[in-house]
Amino acid sequence: MFESLSNRLQDTFDRLGRSGTLNEKDVDAAMREVRMALLEADVSLPIVKDFVKRVKERAVGAEVAKALKPGQMVVKIVHEELIETLGEPGRLNFSGSTKPHVIMLVGLQGSGKTTTAAKLALHLRKEGRQPFMIAADTYRPAAVDQLVTLAKQIGVPYYEEGVSAKPEDIAVRGLKAAKESDAAVVIIDTAGRLQIDDQLMTELEEIKRRTEPAEVLLVADSMTGQEAVNIADGFNKRVGITGLILTKVDGDARGGAAISMRAVTGVPIKYLGTGEKINADSLELFHPDRLADRILGMGDVLTLIEKAEEAFDEAEALKLQKKMMENNFTLQDFLDQLQKMKKMGSITQIMKMVPGMGKIIDQIDEEEIDRRMKRVEAIINSMTPYEREHPKVLNASRKRRIANGSGVEVRDVNDVLKQFREMQKMMKQLRKGRLKIPGLPSIPGLN
Amino acid sequence: MSIFRSGLAKTRQSFFGRISQILGNTEIDDEIWDDIEAILLQADLGVETTQRVIDDLKNRVRKQGLTSAEQLNTALRESLQDLMQRPPVLNISGRPLSVILVVGVNGSGKTTSIAKLAHRLKLAGRNVLIAAGDTFRAAAIEQLQTWGERVDVPVIAGQPGSDPAAVVYDATEAAKARGHDVLIIDTAGRLHTNYNLMEELAKIKKVSQKIVPDAPHEVLLVLDGTTGQNALQQAQKFREMVDVTGVIVTKLDSTAKGGMVFAVFNDLNLPIHYIGLGEGVNDLVDFQPEIFIKSLFEEN
């Protein structure tokens, strides 16, 4: 249903023809498309209007770079302006000598505060700080149990009083307990609430007043629609937020709410939450360029590349990249890569970042990952080196031999080969694009 | 940033406030069309549905020769009403045991909605049982059990981390054996993009059919009312996987308008059964198109 902005603009400008500079008429036509694209991505209307105005000012009269078509030039400007609007990723504020530093998580019901609290605690511990969690949601049934279960699961100390006391008192006593246990950072989980709920917002103000947090982070669902401006503005006005965490980013929402919230509050986006599992990969640093790509429907190729780079050493990465570019990617490489992917965390998470990888996600599934990966390994291991380099020679009898050798059915061998071909196809698509502005067909000279 | 704020202030003015400014004016000008468009977009109707409503409205204006603000206002409501119908009654009668499967993404409000639905059905004289099919999320079982106590409806649960299909099997069997006439199955929140978890839902569905062959009789998708255009993708994917039969929209006590349900209803033909208006047991109300449409134009 969504069409990437570059495709839309392509159509518009194909109709308009081309010239050396962007004239007002062309730009106006393009801005209609930009406006639609942003609205479809759930950017709030007032933010869209302002954004379009700024892009228009920049675009009218702009010289179209030699290598670009007018449509691509507009996408480039939109992309740059979007990155600027999204702003630099914010780091958590650990300045000042008062310890522990307090981080308060606030947000609507169901935005993912408790899960995020645990992810954040794990993330901070990975950074070498001693985290501590306080369960201050006394409203939602079993919210305290949830926090306690997660805290135990990741082995982080916590404080709770069930639901018998007022949240602000629990927060204060929890902070005292954290001090005594020498914690460096305290994460206060608060109950979900609507920004228009005066009584509950007053409670947040009170928690803030008494715990003096260094950070008040608004945890927001990345699927939020037009309401995003009201939520962010409401929380910011009442409790003064210092940053944003967007959750459920592993879905397929465009995430325009990020722009709305960022624009209306002026506070930075600090993290993105992916997946419900609490592990090292499920809280990501925010990269404005990638989110801009996503909002414009251009996939998230850079995140993938970075994840890959973390797991592969540089020389190997270069070699692989070369192979991908030259279309020499073989089953042996596939096997090597599968083995290395184990180091990269959740595979579905990685796959999702690649445009058009939906089909492969369907085949590789997270829960059964080990079993399936082992099967794939076994199948490729049962092939001769020649077969791995030249899968075309795999006729029925060879496939039967491989199936017998790896203890699977011929069907499974075919599945692996199919998967491999899909991967090759995907790489071909990657090869066609330039990574600076993914999704745009061949823009020589832009990099 | 101040531009955004003033922009907000402007759009927060009620529609009637704005439309009254043109009273007496015999011409429906571009600014009014812009205003109407802004209201619909900001209610999360989405670009396509908004365009559809405006085209239809322009047609009405031309054909019927409408000139006054009042006529325009009435016509706008008619346009919207054409895109939304009252839901049929839930298909949970006329058999010994009816099964309702409840699905949705994380944090949409499934568990709370189930408690409220159970409460409603109980008040209507039904003998309800709830199956705690969310064995994944920490303390989800406790959350449902607390609600069960609160609304006085029994809950069948397994161990955290156990196979949800097994819990559903046990619960369906128990519902039948103990003479319950409605079983509501809670499921773990899952993003519709997670194929594996979506398959698990299909399995849960199949398991309930082992005991009640035509189950589930209703598959209700819980949509967060603050969600934007992604609601349509959610509904599409869940429908593909488990044949969703209807929708519950939650959190409409917020300032969000939930306008994406127009697309969900029209493009996917999924009726909206209930809307959630808060965290109390009585805060699940029947979806009424007229009231819903009226609320689109109400000031927050």
Side-chain angles (χ1 to χ4, degrees), chain A residues 232-387:
Chain A
D233 196 41
F235 274 96
N236 194 35
K237 281 199 173 120
R238 290 296 294 264
V239 283
I241 60 175
T242 60
L244 301 163
I245 297 181
L246 289 164
T247 61
K248 308 177 205 175
V249 178
D250 45 332
D252 58 357
R254 282 289 176 82
I259 304 183
S260 309
M261 292 187 161
R262 156 79 191 168
V264 80
T265 61
V267 303
I269 298 165
K270 301 212 167 172
Y271 294 103
L272 305 179
T274 59
E276 218 190 348
K277 297 214 172 82
I278 314 297
N279 58 41
D281 305 316
S282 57
L283 195 67
E284 294 175 5
L285 292 174
F286 154 72
H287 297 276
D289 45 347
R290 296 173 198 173
L291 195 56
D293 288 349
R294 178 172 176 151
I295 290 165
L296 296 177
M298 294 170 172
D300 201 357
V301 180
L302 290 170
T303 307
L304 173 79
I305 300 288
E306 191 182 75
K307 287 233 174 194
E309 278 170 359
E310 279 173 14
F312 291 68
D313 72 46
E314 200 179 349
E316 270 185 293
L318 275 173
K319 208 172 103 193
L320 183 68
Q321 197 184 353
K322 193 160 170 267
K323 287 200 162 214
M324 282 167 73
M325 292 302 169
E326 288 169 356
N327 206 11
N328 286 335
F329 189 77
T330 67
L331 276 161
Q332 181 61 48
D333 297 322
F334 186 30
L335 178 65
D336 291 348
Q337 222 195 6
L338 275 180
Q339 283 161 351
K340 274 163 197 139
M341 268 188 176
K342 285 180 180 167
K343 291 194 244 165
M344 291 166 62
S346 151
I347 297 229
T348 46
Q349 238 163 283
I350 293 159
M351 293 296 188
K352 269 174 210 153
M353 293 166 198
V354 182
M357 280 291 270
K359 275 186 235 155
I360 295 185
I361 298 170
D362 291 357
Q363 288 166 22
I364 301 178
D365 88 38
E366 199 174 349
E367 299 294 321
E368 300 177 7
I369 198 94
D370 273 346
R371 196 157 57 78
R372 293 209 187 183
M373 269 174 64
K374 273 181 196 142
R375 192 197 297 165
V376 174
E377 280 175 43
I379 290 170
I380 301 180
N381 278 329
S382 296
M383 295 177 187
T384 65
Y386 185 81
E387 285 166 345

Side-chain angles (χ1 to χ4, degrees), chain A residues 421-433:
Chain A
R421 278 194 300 273
E422 296 263 7
M423 236 170 145
Q424 278 185 318
K425 218 188 290 168
M426 185 267 297
M427 280 166 196
K428 206 164 156 193
Q429 283 163 6
L430 273 182
R431 224 166 30 242
K432 280 187 194 156

Side-chain angles (χ1 to χ4, degrees), chain B:
Chain B
M1 296 303 137
S2 61
I3 304 156
F4 299 126
R5 300 236 170 82
S6 63
L8 275 180
K10 184 179 176 286
T11 49
R12 274 195 190 129
Q13 283 176 27
S14 81
F15 175 63
F16 296 111
R18 273 186 273 165
I19 209 164
S20 69
Q21 290 164 9
I22 56 147
L23 269 176
N25 198 337
T26 50
E27 212 171 311
I28 298 167
D29 61 15
D30 282 352
E31 210 173 319
I32 293 168
W33 289 114
D34 284 352
D35 277 355
I36 293 172
E37 188 192 38
I39 284 160
L40 300 178
L41 286 172
Q42 286 183 292
D44 282 317
L45 269 81
V47 174
E48 265 182 54
T49 308
T50 298
Q51 202 48 53
R52 191 167 160 189
V53 170
I54 287 188
D55 288 347
D56 179 65
L57 191 56
K58 282 187 170 163
N59 242 330
R60 284 173 201 259
V61 167
R62 204 176 49 243
K63 275 192 190 148
Q64 301 168 17
L66 310 181
T67 50
S68 79
E70 194 145 323
Q71 287 170 327
L72 185 65
N73 181 21
T74 310
L76 175 56
R77 275 149 198 271
E78 283 167 5
S79 289
L80 287 163
Q81 254 149 33
D82 282 355
L83 294 178
M84 189 52 83
Q85 280 163 32
R86 209 172 266 277
V89 289
L90 285 182
N91 172 28
I92 51 169
S93 305
R95 63 183 78 81
L97 174 61
S98 296
V99 177
I100 305 174
L101 179 64
V102 180
V103 300
V105 301
N106 316 68
S108 58
K110 285 175 296 304
T111 306
T112 312
S113 297
I114 285 168
K116 294 190 262 188
L117 181 59
H119 181 67
R120 276 184 69 122
L121 294 174
K122 190 182 157 79
L123 289 183
R126 305 300 296 265
N127 186 359
V128 186
L129 182 71
I130 299 175
D134 182 356
T135 58
F136 176 76
R137 208 205 66 203
I141 296 169
E142 289 91 328
Q143 184 183 355
L144 193 62
Q145 280 168 335
T146 309
W147 271 114
E149 281 161 29
R150 224 179 257 185
V151 300
D152 193 22
V153 169
V155 175
I156 299 279
Q159 287 303 308
S162 62
D163 181 3
V167 176
V168 168
Y169 186 87
D170 291 348
T172 316
E173 215 172 39
K176 205 175 169 186
R178 299 180 200 172
H180 290 279
D181 59 8
V182 182
L183 171 69
I184 309 179
I185 302 172
D186 189 14
T187 60
R190 63 203 74 216
L191 289 181
H192 51 291
T193 48
N194 187 326
Y195 182 80
N196 188 38
L197 288 178
M198 291 301 276
E199 269 201 324
E200 181 191 275
L201 269 191
K203 186 178 160 200
I204 288 173
K205 191 179 155 176
K206 266 187 225 140
V207 159
S208 70
Q209 289 167 345
K210 284 186 184 162
I211 298 162
V212 182
D214 55 345
H217 307 94
E218 291 282 355
V219 180
L220 299 180
L221 171 68
V222 179
L223 288 177
D224 183 330
T226 62
T227 301
Q229 299 313 299
N230 194 247
L232 191 60
Q233 270 104 298
Q234 290 175 25
Q236 234 156 8
K237 291 271 173 59
F238 275 102
R239 195 181 65 160
E240 271 168 32
M241 198 45 97
V242 285
D243 295 318
V244 172
T245 58
V247 170
I248 297 176
V249 187
T250 61
K251 307 181 198 175
L252 284 184
D253 48 332
S254 68
T255 47
K257 302 296 191 186
M260 77 284 173
V261 299
F262 283 98
V264 170
F265 177 75
N266 283 288
D267 298 359
L268 304 177
N269 207 14
L270 291 176
I272 318 303
H273 284 287
Y274 301 104
I275 58 177
L277 295 175
E279 289 170 299
V281 289
N282 294 312
D283 294 334
L284 188 73
V285 305
D286 285 324
F287 175 77
Q288 296 184 57
E290 315 76 47
I291 296 178
F292 180 75
I293 287 165
K294 188 165 170 254
S295 77
L296 296 179
F297 304 105
E298 270 162 10
E299 197 163 354
N300 294 329

